[in-house]
Amino acid sequence: MKTPQEINQTVVTEFFLLGFQGSQHLRIFLSCLLLVIYTGAIGGNLLIILLVSISKNLQTPMYFLLTQLSINDIFLTTDVVPNMLHILLNNGGTIAFNDCISQLYFFGATEASECLILTVMSYDRYVAVCNPLRYSSIMTSGHCMQFAIMCWVLGFSIVLIYVITTSMLTFCEPNVIDHFFCDYVPLLEKACSDTFIVEIQVTVLSVPLVILPSIIIIVLYASIIVTILRIPSNIDRKKAFSTCSSHLVVVCIFYWTIFTVYVFPTRGQTLIVIHMDYDVENQEMRACVPSRWTIPLLLSL
């Protein structure tokens, strides 16, 4: 006679995502709000990419890296938000197993790539503030392109390790996931086979993708702060700090989320991604933006 656990070990071909359980009016309101934010974010990021591409004043390493962050943001939000809108409007929805694994992969890959891109951006600010005389020789266009390729390749290849292992797990009924999309923690809660290997892989992979970059960023910004405090002029000190403050805010929020949700996860804790992009509200970017384009640009921040 089969045990209840053995009976429940049916091959799961799809999952049901619960999403947000609430009244229809509330779900419609949230869907409209999310659609506005998503449209603004996509339009704003595309505008950033366009401006950096056509404006000679923005042909700098910092803005090149900013375009990489914008491309990553488009990939990340497009992977999650459209299906999230469908789930909100329909009070839940099904997703095929292969589609769920694909969503998990692209979400993890873009998150990993962003960790690395933010680290490179921190290095760019470090060289600009702490070693300005050698900035043009260190952050060349060739080096920036190499950094960008490395971030994308590492992000999309390393994550593939634990995603493949996750796809080989056995998932049991009920196939209901209390989340908006196929995320790592809620998905593993539905596995009826041993998840120890996957958890070990994620822990090990978090070292080069999350922990090590965060340590590098802390060291770089500590050096930046020390250098800024040594500047005698208040005006120059304020100007130097303004070039780093926006990036530092984004880094703190992003890594705090990563650590609390993935590195040290708590049961039932979930992540809703409404991405905050890099603050480009500065004189150089404003000078290149026609007044009729400012609204989508601000919505992307």
Side-chain angles (χ1 to χ4, degrees), residues 202-218:
V202 172
T203 302
V204 172
L205 293 177
S206 67
V207 174
L209 292 178
V210 180
I211 297 176
L212 185 59
S214 63
I215 292 174
I216 293 174
I217 291 174
I218 291 172

Side-chain angles (χ1 to χ4, degrees), residues 132-154:
L133 296 180
R134 296 189 57 196
Y135 181 78
S136 59
S137 62
I138 295 175
M139 299 301 295
T140 63
S141 58
H143 289 163
C144 290
M145 183 63 69
Q146 291 174 6
F147 284 141
I149 293 174
M150 179 182 65
C151 292
W152 288 109
V153 171
L154 288 177

Side-chain angles (χ1 to χ4, degrees), residues 137-283:
S137 62
I138 295 175
M139 299 301 295
T140 63
S141 58
H143 289 163
C144 290
M145 183 63 69
Q146 291 174 6
F147 284 141
I149 293 174
M150 179 182 65
C151 292
W152 288 109
V153 171
L154 288 177
F156 275 76
S157 58
I158 293 178
V159 169
L160 195 60
I161 297 174
Y162 83 82
V163 172
I164 291 176
T165 308
T166 302
S167 67
M168 298 171 66
L169 295 175
T170 302
F171 295 92
C172 305
E173 299 285 351
N175 61 340
V176 178
I177 298 178
D178 188 11
H179 203 28
F180 288 94
F181 63 98
C182 291
D183 201 4
Y184 162 71
V185 176
L187 189 59
L188 251 59
E189 291 177 351
K190 292 301 169 183
C192 51
S193 55
D194 190 8
T195 61
F196 177 75
I197 299 298
V198 181
E199 293 171 358
I200 289 296
Q201 287 179 341
V202 172
T203 302
V204 172
L205 293 177
S206 67
V207 174
L209 292 178
V210 180
I211 297 176
L212 185 59
S214 63
I215 292 174
I216 293 174
I217 291 174
I218 291 172
V219 172
L220 291 176
Y221 266 100
S223 301
I224 290 173
I225 293 173
V226 170
T227 302
I228 291 176
L229 293 177
R230 290 175 179 173
I231 299 176
S233 171
N234 289 333
I235 297 176
D236 292 338
R237 191 185 303 126
K238 183 179 180 180
K239 182 179 179 181
F241 184 74
S242 65
T243 64
C244 307
S245 57
S246 300
H247 175 259
L248 183 59
V249 170
V250 173
V251 167
C252 291
I253 294 176
F254 178 77
Y255 274 96
W256 176 81
T257 305
I258 291 294
F259 270 93
T260 55
V261 177
Y262 297 108
V263 180
F264 305 110
T266 301
R267 183 177 178 83
Q269 191 176 35
T270 58
L271 172 65
I272 301 176
V273 179
I274 302 296
H275 232 235
M276 182 181 71
D277 210 339
Y278 193 72
D279 184 3
V280 295
E281 188 67 11
N282 56 52
Q283 185 176 358

